Amino acid sequence: MHTMVKGANIGLAALGEDIASVTVSLGWSSTTGEGDADVSVLLLDGTGKVRSDSDFYFYNHPVAEDGSVQLLGKTPTTDGSEDRISFDLDAVPPHVMRIVIAASRYDGSNFGELDDLCLSLADGSGEVLARFPVEDAGVVSAFIFGELYRRAGQWKFRAVGQGYGSGLVGLATDFGVDIEDDTEEQLAEQAPPWPPEPQPAPRPRTQPQPQAQALPRPRPAAERPPAAPPAAPPAAADPAPRAPRPRTAKKKVTLPKAMKKSLAENESWRTARLFPVTALKSDRERETRATSVLLSVMAQVPEFGRRLTAGFGAPAGRMETFTEVSLPHGESPRRPDGVVRVERAGKLWTALVETKTNGNPLKSDQVQTYVDIAARRGYECVITLSNDVALEGSPLVSVKIDGRRKHKVALWHLSWAEVAHQAQMLIRHEGVGNAAHAWLLQELLHYLQHDNSGCHGFQNMGAAWVPVRNGIDNETLCQGDARATEVTESWERLIRQVCLRLGGELGQKVLPVQRAKRGTDPRTRRAEMADRLCLEGLLHAELRMEDTPGILAITADLRTGKLRTSIELPVAERGYPLTRAKRLIRRLAAAPADLHIETMVAGPGTGPRGTLERLRPEPADILPRDGAEITGFRLSLFKGMGTGRGSAETGFIRSVDEAVDRFHAQVITHLDRRGSTVGG
């Protein structure tokens, strides 16, 4: 791997052979866990300017029609989060000479507040070829990390590291994007379009933007108004429609219409399903049916197929999927569960698929065989699909890569929870091309969520769960016990699945917060979590949710058998304490009576606490008697913890899901970003 410094450049051909498709990742972390940024990409011609609006890619315009650019969205890492962008360099138009990779922050935040800023460049197999760690970004709200550019017919990469104190406005102006007046932007947002236009189907938006930010609306130079105002049109003439331009405000998504009243005589009548599951009996039947159902929908719904494969280096092109394929391997041929092939410009990208359902584990020897077959046949990757969730530093299967082979094969993993999440995001929040595609995705979701499908995601805390819980009860669990580490890994998998499920239902980014410094070995971090579990009996996690004022914390206390979900609300710098308390109680009018409210104070010690039921008639009871400075309020709900290791009604996994759902529905929904602080 090549480590770069600011201003350095290198040819992609010198980094590796598989550079037609590359993925750029922008990573960062923050001590508070709330640091975030939005990536953007600009395609520039030989003059260093954008050619049109379509050359600007951001959260409302994440995918190029030719497949050359796709914003893949944020993914959690062991020490923060990464925003990934996929580039098909063979598909980049010939007039594009430079590709600028940037990011911006909002709400007065700047990049100097983030830690461990880094850009990494990976090839089509996922191998990281180059890294550019940013030493000091400075107090800027927009930042150019790097750029891909053509030189003598070859692609090169330059580590730029340039910030813009004027934010996205200054960055866009430098590249020929005209910024409209803020007043015009506000009026345009308030007034309906005229003349009325039919609403197009919403395109996928990988990076939605909080509405609190007033970002610029770019306009290509060719469409800028002349210096002198044009003559006024005749009074009877209709106003000329404005050319469509990128919208930086969050898109309004039209959700599917509610189902009409059923024509069935009674509830015992079952609706005919495209993918029936009632007859499934054996694990083999579940695996075969699930593979065929998923691959067929991927091929028929381009938005969905592209969403699942773009992160694996697949190009944008015509996709076909296959099952029951026989491939030669020694004396006996092997039959992978599925094959995905994508054709673009006469080139083929191929992935073998190995599927497991109903909690069955992947087998290392089986996956190793498919990796060897893929390497011999020149295929790009092997995709494993199961209910388990992969963690960095803790692979689900171990395979050996023959370094003597010139062709590299990537090994990727998908959880069934991730598949359901992507389907939910498309049909419920972002939109697909037509009604038939939406119906197909709804049928797929119904299949995945049915009890008989076996595609339910992570559902078992593992064999170590009961011994660890018993060891905490009788105080015999010692530090360094490998079973405690196993439980912390299961806890991390569960939290990532909670993020996928909740994010899909809400249509928002939900990511686990990692406060470790970037570069920390994930096994070391999990060992520290295991030691805390042994000493205190606690499992702790934090979730960052879009448009939510603060971090959602989840704590499982294995000693008391209780789950605590909480959020901390800071107070405004000014305001009377009693006014703050009354305003908080009013905002929580619809919250449950057993909600615990705790006052956080500056300095040592804790402030008063009480339930919402007791504080409603007397908000002053939450104020410190000694006049200590109030820094915020912590809102918490408590729930009994399931003891079983599975997802049954009395299981631990079910209780965590229910606790998070209740806290979001009954507490967080009353706390939007406009009320991110308790003011006076």
Side-chain angles (χ1 to χ4, degrees), residues 34 515 542 549-553 564 566-571 598 600 631-636 663 671 676 678:
E34 296 182 299
R515 299 182 185 270
E542 296 176 319
I551 300 296
L552 169 60
R564 174 176 182 162
S566 62
I567 192 170
E568 295 183 3
L569 299 179
V571 298
E598 177 185 355
M600 299 183 295
T631 60
F633 297 97
R634 180 184 290 113
L635 312 180
S636 304
F663 192 80
L671 306 172
S676 59
V678 182

Side-chain angles (χ1 to χ4, degrees), residues 51-250:
R51 301 171 303 165
S52 68
D53 289 345
S54 61
D55 284 342
F56 178 42
Y57 298 94
F58 60 116
Y59 36 83
N60 274 350
H61 182 212
V63 181
E65 293 184 1
D66 59 12
S68 59
V69 180
Q70 178 165 348
L71 275 60
L72 301 177
K74 292 179 173 59
T75 57
T77 64
T78 58
D79 43 20
S81 62
E82 285 186 344
D83 223 322
R84 298 183 300 147
I85 314 161
S86 173
F87 294 101
D88 185 349
L89 298 179
D90 288 344
V92 175
H95 296 299
V96 173
M97 306 306 295
R98 294 167 57 198
I99 303 175
V100 173
I101 303 160
S104 57
R105 303 201 69 197
Y106 44 86
D107 291 342
S109 301
N110 63 76
F111 281 92
E113 299 168 344
L114 298 179
D115 300 324
D116 309 313
L117 286 167
C118 183
L119 177 146
S120 60
L121 179 70
D123 63 12
S125 68
E127 180 181 350
V128 178
L129 304 176
R131 292 180 72 254
F132 169 41
V134 178
E135 298 297 335
D136 184 15
V139 185
V140 294
S141 56
F143 194 82
I144 296 180
F145 283 80
E147 64 179 15
L148 295 162
Y149 64 98
R150 299 183 198 261
R151 183 62 54 85
Q154 300 294 323
W155 283 102
K156 303 185 74 174
F157 174 76
R158 178 182 291 114
V160 178
Q162 178 182 352
Y164 283 81
S166 53
L168 191 58
V169 173
L171 187 152
T173 302
D174 274 3
F175 296 118
V177 181
D178 190 22
I179 306 302
E180 291 191 348
D181 183 78
D182 289 344
T183 303
E184 180 184 355
E185 174 75 16
Q186 293 172 4
L187 292 175
E189 293 292 336
Q190 296 172 2
W194 184 260
E197 298 177 346
Q199 294 295 321
R203 292 177 297 185
R205 50 177 180 87
T206 307
Q207 300 295 332
Q209 179 66 18
Q211 294 183 357
Q213 182 188 18
L215 287 179
R217 176 186 292 175
R219 177 167 51 186
E223 297 180 8
R224 297 178 188 170
D238 291 335
R242 303 174 64 181
R245 307 173 205 146
R247 294 180 58 84
T248 53
K250 181 184 289 186

Side-chain angles (χ1 to χ4, degrees), residues 425 429 501-508 510 545 664:
M425 293 297 291
H429 307 290
R501 181 183 58 80
L502 193 59
E505 293 175 359
L506 302 177
Q508 298 176 339
V510 182
M545 306 171 63
H664 182 272

